[in-house]
Amino acid sequence: MPSVCFYFEVHQPYRLKPYGALQVGQDHEYFDSKLNGQVFRKVADKCYLPANESMLRLIERTDGRFRISYAVTGVAIEQMKQYAPEVMNSFVRLAKTGAVEFIAETYYHSLAALYDKDEYKAQIDLEVDLIRSEFGQTPRVFRNTELIYDDEIGQFISDLGFDAILIEGADDILDWRSPNFVYRVPGRETRLLTKNYRLSDDIAFRFSNRAWAEFPLTADKFAKWVHQHSGAGDVINLFMDYETFGEHQWRETGIFDFLEHLPDLLFTHPHWDILTPGQVIERYPALGDLSFHRTVSWADEARDISAWRGNAMQQRALAEIYALGTDVKRRNNSHLLALWRRLQTSDHFYYMATKSASDAEVHDYFSPYEGPYDAFIHYMNVLKDLNLSVLGPLEKRIPA
Amino acid sequence: MLGWEYPPHISGGLGTACQGLTTALASRGIEIDFLLPRLYGEEDAPHMHLLGASGSEAIERVPVKTWQSQESPLQEAIANEPSLSTDPILTAAAQASEGAASARIRTIQVPAMLKPYLDPSAYLELLAAGGFDEAAVARLAHELPGPPHRQPEHAHLLGDDLWEWSTEPTTEAHYGHDLFAEVARYAAAATRRVRGRKYDIVHAHDWMTFPASIEIAARANAPLITHVHSLEYDRAAEGADREIVAVERQGLERAKRVIAVSYYTRSLINRVHGTSLDKISVVHNGVYTRATVEAYTQQRKSTGPVVLFLGRVTFQKGPEYFVQAAARVLQHVPNAKFVMAGSGDMLPRMKAMVESLGIEDAFRFPGFVRGADLERTFSTADVYVMPSVSEPFGIAPLEAMSYDRPVIVSKQSGVSEVLRNALKVDFWDVDKMASQIVALLELPELRRVIVDLAREEIRHIHWDAAAEKLIPIYQSVSAA
């Protein structure tokens, strides 16, 4: 009996304000709270509130046979409480349906996995605690920032005791294998659920693309594509940004109608059902080990980490923020620690990407700045001020 | 035109220059037969079959599709922003580079073991490595004459004996046993390939094509233009190969006009070869050779980083915003130097403003600069700023970019709509302008990423300017 597994990522960064060189030493407020509030409320109205309503309705209508999973970053939950508490309430209602599973990730949606493993663990612990306190669930399944994954990360997450990890079903890694089975971290019991990127991206990226041969995508058509996999797979993993519903794909595209009809159409085939990641690994055995010879993510054409550290600016910015870790922690100041961690959010580095063609369009879409150079300048000025105004005074007190 | 390299196999600056220039010239109505040496074994065989097929009559004509398939940044900009299509400068430039060009370039490929900037020992290595396959050599055996032996001097290449051995089939297939023999053999083969064709101008790029071009020009009774991208002296300085220098000199002497890629190269040609400066025109390449820029950078006197304004010092160019930004930059980068190059009615006021701000020690006003001074000024700047209040297009930032300088342009300029890899600022936002200058001075990664991407970005745009300078030179030498 094959299954469909939905997972949605909910994240909003703390965007930096345009921070010029002349502000260094003067201005210690780094984030654009006006913009962040505006963006959050806009996305709440266009996506979070109506999409949560749809999900609740679908769960009720199907008596909980429609099931979904979310990862909601800590920084998204903080902003939710601050800017749109009604969104927080609706997520809590979803959590109570019993048909919704919450997935763990890093609280700050950071790249700590690649730079600082202690910090990485600390941010995962923070997120797990948050999910537990806000939604009353203890996550068993993990997804790393932007599905960044390799064998080393797999071992690390396995050591932390998670039962499964969500990853990108990259062609070169899967090779001859299908993404529609459960795999295993080599030598471990930890399961790997691989995103079916063709079917996922049909919804997330291509849904409203009039140049696409399959446009318009109806729920009926999509359900048929899923059903074509009958007998040739255990689970179709549909992983995407939650903002797909109403924000990346506007309401006018018909995305909410699509969502409304999809579950019933999936259920028209008597063999198919819908499970959460935790249920998937209970039901389906792992087919074998899946080893990663490179670091994979779900971003850009390259499906690698070049979206965040593909150029010299990104590498410098990342190296500098993580180099501050020791200093920051020595200070033993929770505000400073949170500030440093907010600066680790991967979006800051994503805005600095200098990619071409279609990748650039996606980066530009998300960026609040005029381009990668401004993003880098603002970020480095903030670090300069942090060093000068906050960490500097500490240095003076430490004898050479 | 005797050039180098053929897309997609572009290996270096000289090939890029030939490609850019040829395409830009063709789009302005110049018909070009583009002769180039082809190394065997590096490219698709079908070309070579054609070539080897029918002896001396074979002239291969390949429409240069790949050169046209790339849209220029101008066309792209117009496609993305329809309002730009009413900009006369942009549309003229974009239209010029469209269509017609492909019909006007024919490539004629001549097998030869030559690539740009070989030296005698590198040639022997290439030969020994067998940069060609055996089958190709076998085909060659029946089609191309081999040189008898390397001759002790090059002058004989111009004589009729050259023609004799170029038409005389030989059973021995081989490349020249040393570099000079190969250059001579190439000259003979190339000459044979274009026998009987009429040319208004023969235009040759760098020394290895000079013997061939001298011969072809003489036979076509056409004026010769030799184009110097770099001299043997540039490449090897005191260790220059005397024979290469001799070939260079011969090309320069036989040329009706010499084209240098910079004023720097022009004066070097004059010093090394004694060629009269009057005979040498400067046509800047789309992209500067790093060597040229570095040569100037070494002459640099000032210690601090240098920020450049270059243009007329008039209201329209926004010089006062540059001065105001400078005052702010100096609070963060106290050793920064500012150069305001140019003249204009606002110059006295700018000097007074600098004095009243108390930053005259950080400022230089060299006045209007041209020629070698212009090159030096661009090469020794760390940042170029164009704070224009209103600028229909603005070519100067492109020029600065061609020296690998990062640029800041006002959003009130046409060029800011075309460029992706430049920092942009409202001319009145002097705080942000200062912040961008500080960032460019303090963050080498920012400079590096901008410069690397900008170099690619401006390649097409700038070749159009080079072609515009070259066409009057063509007209003057063919009319004379």
Side-chain angles (χ1 to χ4, degrees):
Chain A
M1 189 165 180
S3 308
V4 172
C5 177
F6 288 102
Y7 151 70
F8 306 118
E9 171 67 17
V10 180
H11 168 63
Q12 291 296 329
Y14 284 102
R15 295 161 196 85
L16 294 175
K17 66 185 180 192
Y19 192 101
L22 308 190
Q23 284 152 270
V24 174
Q26 313 289 324
D27 180 356
H28 314 311
E29 186 52 61
Y30 303 147
F31 299 103
D32 197 334
S33 50
K34 184 161 170 252
L35 175 71
N36 289 324
Q38 277 170 0
V39 170
F40 204 97
R41 281 188 291 269
K42 186 190 82 178
V43 179
D45 288 340
K46 291 177 77 174
C47 165
Y48 299 148
L49 290 170
N52 283 7
E53 280 308 310
S54 291
M55 298 298 173
L56 273 168
R57 195 165 51 243
L58 287 169
I59 289 166
E60 282 168 23
R61 202 173 71 205
T62 61
D63 292 326
R65 288 199 302 142
F66 175 68
R67 302 178 179 99
I68 51 176
S69 65
Y70 293 105
V72 190
T73 63
V75 284
I77 288 176
E78 286 178 6
Q79 295 189 81
M80 215 175 269
K81 289 177 170 175
Q82 188 180 355
Y83 301 121
E86 64 276 25
V87 176
M88 193 63 212
N89 296 337
S90 76
F91 272 114
V92 170
R93 281 209 304 283
L94 279 164
K96 287 178 179 155
T97 61
V100 177
E101 179 178 344
F102 285 86
I103 307 294
E105 67 166 305
T106 61
Y107 188 104
Y108 291 93
H109 201 73
S110 75
L111 303 175
L114 305 172
Y115 286 87
D116 183 340
K117 285 292 197 301
D118 290 341
E119 174 63 16
Y120 185 40
K121 180 178 183 306
Q123 292 186 17
I124 295 167
D125 290 344
L126 278 175
E127 177 75 7
V128 168
D129 289 347
L130 183 73
I131 299 299
R132 203 181 281 140
S133 65
E134 299 295 340
F135 303 121
Q137 292 187 17
T138 301
R140 304 169 54 203
V141 178
F142 182 82
R143 70 82 81 176
N144 197 27
T145 306
E146 306 294 321
L147 302 194
I148 292 171
Y149 182 82
D150 57 24
D151 282 342
E152 194 190 321
I153 293 170
Q155 303 284 329
F156 190 85
I157 297 303
S158 177
D159 287 343
L160 294 182
F162 287 101
D163 296 331
I165 308 170
L166 310 187
I167 57 174
E168 173 71 12
D171 287 332
D172 63 320
I173 300 294
L174 284 167
D175 198 3
W176 51 271
R177 304 175 194 86
S178 159
N180 307 328
F181 290 97
V182 177
Y183 296 95
R184 203 167 41 211
V185 176
R188 305 296 180 100
E189 283 308 308
T190 311
R191 302 299 198 255
L192 294 172
L193 297 188
T194 50
K195 173 184 154 192
N196 184 314
Y197 73 80
R198 283 188 187 83
L199 288 169
S200 299
D201 294 351
D202 284 342
I203 301 174
F205 297 147
R206 288 181 281 274
F207 184 79
S208 62
N209 180 359
R210 288 169 183 278
W212 181 34
E214 298 293 345
F215 180 88
L217 179 60
T218 61
D220 187 47
K221 188 190 287 183
F222 190 83
K224 286 200 175 88
W225 289 347
V226 169
H227 293 155
Q228 280 168 7
H229 290 82
S230 298
D234 290 335
V235 58
I236 306 281
N237 292 311
L238 301 177
F239 300 168
M240 64 198 74
D241 282 344
Y242 198 35
E243 293 81 9
T244 299
F245 301 100
E247 217 281 318
H248 305 343
Q249 310 289 349
W250 291 2
R251 173 176 290 281
E252 292 73 19
T253 65
I255 190 75
F256 285 108
D257 294 332
F258 174 87
L259 176 63
E260 194 73 26
H261 293 102
L262 187 60
D264 287 343
L265 288 164
L266 287 173
F267 293 140
T268 56
H269 195 300
H271 292 163
W272 284 79
D273 66 0
I274 300 174
L275 299 181
T276 68
Q279 294 169 324
V280 167
I281 60 169
E282 295 294 335
R283 186 188 299 169
Y284 301 108
L287 221 62
D289 291 352
L290 192 59
S291 185
F292 281 63
H293 55 80
R294 67 177 179 101
T295 308
V296 169
S297 83
W298 73 2
D300 291 357
E301 295 284 334
R303 298 287 203 272
D304 61 12
I305 52 173
S306 59
W308 305 276
R309 59 175 200 191
N311 68 38
M313 301 188 300
Q314 295 169 305
Q315 289 157 19
R316 161 108 190 245
L318 277 160
E320 283 208 10
I321 189 69
Y322 283 103
L324 292 178
T326 317
D327 269 5
V328 167
K329 286 176 176 165
R330 193 167 49 179
R331 189 89 180 219
N332 215 6
N333 174 323
S334 60
H335 287 292
L336 176 61
L337 191 61
L339 171 61
W340 174 62
R341 286 174 170 167
R342 285 179 189 183
L343 292 172
Q344 291 179 38
T345 299
S346 62
D347 304 63
H348 300 305
F349 315 101
Y350 188 85
Y351 304 146
M352 299 173 196
T354 46
K355 295 237 175 173
S356 53
S358 60
D359 285 344
E361 275 176 39
V362 181
H363 286 254
D364 287 350
Y365 169 84
F366 283 103
S367 177
Y369 310 116
E370 282 179 49
Y373 304 126
D374 275 351
F376 180 61
I377 292 171
H378 301 327
Y379 190 85
M380 294 309 288
N381 284 332
V382 163
L383 289 198
K384 199 173 166 189
D385 185 73
L386 183 67
N387 265 310
L388 198 76
S389 310
V390 184
L391 296 170
L394 173 75
E395 287 306 312
K396 285 186 197 119
R397 287 206 301 271
I398 294 174
Chain B
M1 185 176 290
L2 289 93
W4 293 94
E5 302 192 287
Y6 178 80
H9 298 287
I10 292 285
S11 67
L14 192 50
T16 307
C18 290
Q19 176 196 359
L21 204 55
T22 317
T23 310
L25 284 169
S27 71
R28 282 164 178 72
I30 307 282
E31 290 198 30
I32 299 167
D33 275 1
F34 190 68
L35 264 165
L36 76 168
R38 296 295 279 156
L39 285 169
Y40 268 108
E42 284 190 356
E43 59 284 305
D44 295 338
H47 293 300
M48 299 304 120
H49 277 299
L50 271 174
L51 248 185
S54 57
S56 61
E57 285 96 45
I59 288 184
E60 190 195 6
R61 297 179 185 194
V62 182
V64 197
K65 286 197 205 96
T66 46
W67 297 20
Q68 260 59 51
S69 64
Q70 300 165 331
E71 275 202 345
S72 76
L74 292 174
Q75 289 166 302
E76 237 177 78
I78 290 171
N80 292 337
E81 180 48 64
S83 70
L84 288 180
S85 65
T86 55
D87 184 318
I89 299 172
L90 270 179
T91 45
Q95 278 164 8
S97 62
E98 265 171 41
S102 63
R104 300 203 182 97
I105 306 173
R106 284 176 291 273
T107 59
I108 302 168
Q109 304 174 5
V110 180
M113 185 72 83
L114 293 179
K115 58 184 189 182
Y117 308 132
L118 274 179
D119 60 31
S121 62
Y123 173 77
L124 293 178
E125 279 168 29
L126 187 65
L127 193 63
F132 48 88
D133 62 59
E134 289 301 318
V137 176
R139 279 201 304 279
L140 251 183
H142 307 288
E143 309 306 335
L144 279 175
H149 290 289
R150 157 123 190 266
Q151 305 298 316
E153 291 183 7
H154 307 293
H156 82 281
L157 287 177
L158 310 171
D160 277 340
D161 57 329
L162 168 88
W163 192 248
E164 295 314 312
W165 42 265
S166 65
T167 49
E168 213 173 77
T170 168
T171 52
E172 265 201 338
H174 53 201
Y175 292 94
H177 59 83
D178 73 11
L179 179 57
F180 297 96
E182 181 61 7
V183 168
R185 198 192 59 74
Y186 174 68
T191 305
R192 195 165 64 101
R193 290 283 152 164
V194 297
R195 183 168 58 162
R197 288 186 66 79
K198 301 259 178 279
Y199 296 109
D200 297 315
I201 288 163
V202 175
H203 184 157
H205 296 273
D206 274 6
W207 76 272
M208 275 188 268
T209 64
F210 286 0
S213 65
I214 291 169
E215 182 61 27
I216 292 168
R219 287 176 182 279
N221 198 21
L224 172 66
I225 292 178
T226 51
H227 198 135
V228 180
H229 296 259
S230 76
L231 289 174
E232 171 66 5
Y233 180 86
D234 279 321
R235 296 183 295 265
E238 297 309 318
D241 186 300
R242 277 185 298 130
E243 295 182 82
I244 294 178
V245 172
V247 178
E248 262 175 13
R249 181 160 305 166
Q250 188 182 46
L252 296 167
E253 282 168 359
R254 299 288 181 120
K256 185 135 183 201
R257 182 144 289 272
V258 174
I259 294 177
V261 295
S262 65
Y263 287 94
Y264 170 79
T265 300
R266 178 173 176 253
S267 74
L268 196 65
I269 294 169
N270 172 257
R271 277 215 314 280
V272 173
H273 292 292
T275 311
S276 155
L277 287 173
D278 296 341
K279 188 177 168 178
I280 312 172
S281 304
V282 174
V283 174
H284 287 125
N285 268 351
V287 178
Y288 269 78
T289 62
R290 218 159 277 207
T292 305
V293 176
E294 275 167 15
Y296 281 115
T297 312
Q298 283 161 12
Q299 303 168 9
R300 181 170 162 159
K301 290 188 200 81
S302 76
T303 46
V306 177
V307 185
L308 174 66
F309 170 101
L310 192 148
R312 283 178 296 117
V313 185
T314 59
F315 169 77
Q316 187 213 342
K317 301 291 181 183
E320 70 268 44
Y321 304 103
F322 181 76
V323 174
Q324 291 296 338
R328 288 158 174 78
V329 169
L330 283 165
Q331 293 177 2
H332 291 263
V333 188
N335 65 340
K337 298 284 179 257
F338 295 83
V339 175
M340 181 171 280
S343 54
D345 58 7
M346 283 192 45
L347 189 56
R349 269 168 63 193
M350 290 305 104
K351 288 179 177 171
M353 186 188 274
V354 163
E355 261 179 53
S356 72
L357 288 165
I359 53 174
E360 61 269 32
D361 289 347
F363 258 82
R364 274 204 308 122
F365 293 93
F368 183 75
V369 291
R370 70 170 90 197
D373 283 339
L374 183 70
E375 291 174 358
R376 183 177 304 111
T377 304
F378 273 125
S379 298
T380 53
D382 294 284
V383 181
Y384 171 79
V385 186
M386 186 182 76
S388 297
V389 170
S390 166
E391 188 79 64
F393 189 75
I395 199 82
L398 300 179
E399 193 154 15
M401 287 161 83
S402 72
Y403 288 87
D404 283 352
R405 304 297 100 179
V407 306
I408 300 170
V409 295
S410 78
K411 291 180 188 171
Q412 288 69 30
S413 66
V415 74
S416 75
E417 298 167 27
V418 179
L419 289 178
R420 192 175 167 89
N421 297 293
L423 299 183
K424 300 166 192 178
V425 63
D426 289 305
F427 68 88
W428 43 261
D429 192 349
V430 291
D431 283 353
K432 182 163 184 184
M433 197 184 294
S435 172
Q436 290 173 331
I437 293 169
V438 170
L440 284 169
L441 298 182
E442 290 188 340
L443 298 167
E445 294 83 2
L446 180 65
R447 274 204 305 279
R448 190 172 356 135
V449 173
I450 289 180
V451 164
D452 284 351
L453 293 172
R455 191 183 301 134
E456 273 308 296
E457 188 180 5
I458 62 162
R459 225 167 70 188
H460 295 278
I461 304 177
H462 219 79
W463 288 116
D464 290 322
E468 293 289 351
K469 285 188 203 159
L470 203 48
I471 286 172
I473 296 171
Y474 278 4
Q475 285 163 344
S476 74
V477 296
S478 62

